[in-house]
Amino acid sequence: MQISPFKIERYFARYEFNVDYVLCGSDCESMTIEDLLAFEPDAADRFHRQWLGYTESPGSLSLRSEICNIYHEISPENVLVHTGAEEAIFLFMHAMLSAEDHVIVHWPCYQSLLEVARSIGCEVTLWKASEENGWALDPEELQRSLKSNTRVIVVNTPHNPTGYLMPGDTFREISRIAAENGIILFSDEVYRESEYRIEDRLPAACDLGAHTVSLGVMSKTYGLPGLRIGWIATQNEAVYERMAVLKDYTTICNSAPSEFLAELALRHRKALVDRTQKIILENLNVLDPFFDRYADRFAWQRPKAGAIGFPKLLGEDVEIFCDSLVKTAGVLLLPGTVYDDPGNHFRIGFGRKNMQEAVGRLDDFLQKF
Ligand SMILES: Cc1ncc(COP(=O)(O)O)c(C=O)c1O
């Protein structure tokens, strides 16, 4: 298989574990195993007794049942657990696509959402988000992009990197277009449940019918990326079966300790969501005045969900800026060029507790340079 390097991940690989502040993480504040086990009085004992044999390939029934609580129309046989969302993206694309197929992808995007399809040989149309319209997508453009061989439409909302949260009517319109044309809607919902107002939360795509696949993960809103537990939820039996068959060639089954901890965490999902929400909103209270003060240097669109945004850097080159920031101040921002974005944006993350200190460092840097 020929596949281009994953630019975001390669950039992170250079810096993530040797800088003072990662100010562009898309995940939210994590916790220790001890913190997580403290949610239930006997959890530590049960964890110590966790059997370390192979686990059930689709994920344990108890974990899949817990995941079902996120959705309305989904039962355990509709959930296939993976090693992170990343494995699920890779397997979905390989399960559903061949070189003759056309795929439409919400863009800019987390690179694997388009790159795996490209590596298979598919024609990929980038469905571009409009910065002028708050990073919105135009369903009419989607309609115009359809071809007789369009097999998959990929959307991601809340969105990496812009933070865009789609309005419900647009989301339903996209689902309708996919259903009417016999296309699978692959909905990357890894930032779901991080909406700042509950009334803005979208339905999960998998609840809208068998033409859809929802992608979920423990990494983002629930703050547990180290578990490497993700999943797809779908009422589409063919998609499910093909992915399950391919999983035998990647990981076979998931880590037993991670399944135990993910299930425990999901039993306390509301507490985790509230914790994340609190951190994000406190951080936004710092970021808003910061961006007001530096309105001559950045154009900031405040998201309605999630822990990342995509401000535009004004008057200087974003790659040089990010490079100089990380080397002189030890603060990591992600230049938009790793998304092939030509608009001089960078990704900023505000899901971690040390964000205020990191912004302080950035502020000092801006005073000097
Ligand atoms: C939109 C999106 N999808 C999928 C993933 C992959 O998630 P994970 O790293 O937990 O597998 C990410 C991670 O950043 C992401 O931002």
Side-chain angles (χ1 to χ4, degrees):
M1 189 186 71
Q2 293 289 338
I3 191 162
S4 300
F6 200 137
K7 291 185 189 166
I8 303 169
E9 300 300 343
R10 289 297 93 211
Y11 199 83
F12 267 110
R14 261 163 67 198
Y15 294 114
E16 186 175 6
F17 294 102
N18 53 29
V19 291
D20 294 342
Y21 295 102
V22 175
L23 185 53
C24 54
S26 66
D27 50 347
C28 299
E29 184 75 15
S30 197
M31 61 176 67
T32 61
I33 293 178
E34 191 178 20
D35 294 337
L36 187 53
L37 291 173
F39 274 103
E40 290 176 8
D42 60 342
D45 286 346
R46 284 188 285 118
F47 188 52
H48 283 139
R49 289 197 302 274
Q50 171 67 46
W51 189 253
L52 291 178
Y54 278 110
T55 59
E56 272 183 81
S57 184
S60 72
L61 180 59
S62 52
L63 172 58
R64 285 180 289 130
S65 303
E66 212 47 65
I67 291 170
C68 288
N69 291 331
I70 300 173
Y71 308 110
H72 294 295
E73 305 294 334
I74 293 297
S75 39
E77 64 274 16
N78 303 133
V79 176
L80 185 59
V81 181
H82 292 83
T83 299
E86 188 70 331
E87 184 191 21
I89 294 171
F90 190 86
L91 292 190
F92 170 80
M93 300 293 172
H94 278 277
M96 298 315 296
L97 295 171
S98 59
E100 296 72 41
D101 294 324
H102 173 235
V103 182
I104 301 174
V105 183
H106 180 175
W107 189 86
C109 68
Y110 187 66
Q111 192 176 335
S112 52
L113 293 172
L114 67 82
E115 204 67 59
V116 180
R118 270 191 189 149
S119 75
I120 292 167
C122 302
E123 183 191 355
V124 176
T125 296
L126 303 181
W127 183 16
K128 294 185 182 158
S130 155
E131 182 176 14
E132 302 70 50
N133 297 322
W135 297 111
L137 290 174
D138 177 5
E140 283 180 19
E141 192 183 324
L142 173 67
Q143 191 79 57
R144 285 195 300 275
S145 304
L146 295 180
K147 299 187 178 195
S148 57
N149 60 341
T150 307
R151 185 122 163 94
V152 169
I153 297 169
V154 178
V155 291
N156 165 222
T157 184
H159 183 237
N160 177 358
T162 65
Y164 172 66
L165 177 62
M166 199 179 283
D169 51 354
T170 310
F171 192 64
R172 286 195 173 75
E173 173 70 354
I174 294 168
S175 167
R176 186 191 61 73
I177 293 172
E180 277 181 12
N181 290 279
I183 296 168
I184 302 281
L185 175 62
F186 185 81
S187 177
D188 181 330
E189 299 169 359
V190 299
Y191 300 99
R192 195 159 174 269
E193 298 199 303
S194 66
E195 304 77 9
Y196 311 153
R197 294 170 357 133
I198 181 87
E199 53 276 35
D200 290 339
R201 184 166 304 160
L202 293 172
C206 59
D207 285 332
L208 300 179
H211 59 291
T212 62
V213 176
S214 286
L215 178 69
V217 83
M218 297 306 297
S219 309
K220 309 299 180 182
T221 309
Y222 314 125
L224 300 167
L227 293 182
R228 309 309 299 132
I229 292 285
W231 59 86
I232 55 107
T234 183
Q235 300 180 53
N236 190 310
E237 288 173 21
V239 173
Y240 188 100
E241 264 321 299
R242 288 190 199 189
M243 289 181 70
V245 164
L246 275 191
K247 195 184 163 197
D248 293 339
Y249 285 98
T250 51
T251 55
I252 304 176
C253 66
N254 313 298
S255 144
S258 289
E259 286 212 358
F260 177 98
L261 295 170
E263 186 186 325
L264 168 66
L266 287 176
R267 275 199 294 278
H268 302 278
R269 200 170 105 236
K270 167 115 183 36
L272 296 183
V273 167
D274 290 349
R275 171 181 180 269
T276 293
Q277 184 87 285
K278 188 164 173 286
I279 295 169
I280 289 177
L281 294 180
E282 279 173 12
N283 284 341
L284 281 171
N285 283 339
V286 172
L287 275 189
D288 288 336
F290 170 84
F291 280 120
D292 280 349
R293 249 182 308 123
Y294 286 107
D296 56 333
R297 297 187 74 170
F298 306 112
W300 165 237
Q301 299 207 33
R302 191 190 209 265
K304 294 190 174 126
I308 45 179
F310 208 44
K312 190 181 182 79
L313 179 68
L314 308 173
E316 55 189 310
D317 178 87
V318 76
E319 272 192 359
I320 297 173
F321 175 81
C322 292
D323 191 59
S324 153
L325 177 68
V326 74
K327 288 187 177 143
T328 60
V331 175
L332 185 67
L333 289 173
L334 192 61
T337 45
V338 297
Y339 290 84
D340 289 334
D341 161 65
N344 219 45
H345 302 91
F346 60 90
R347 187 174 97 184
I348 189 164
F350 40 89
R352 297 192 184 173
K353 279 188 179 159
N354 68 359
M355 190 219 73
Q356 305 194 17
E357 287 164 38
V359 169
R361 275 276 184 104
L362 171 60
D363 204 337
D364 292 345
F365 174 84
L366 292 167
Q367 306 281 341
K368 288 191 206 129
F369 299 97

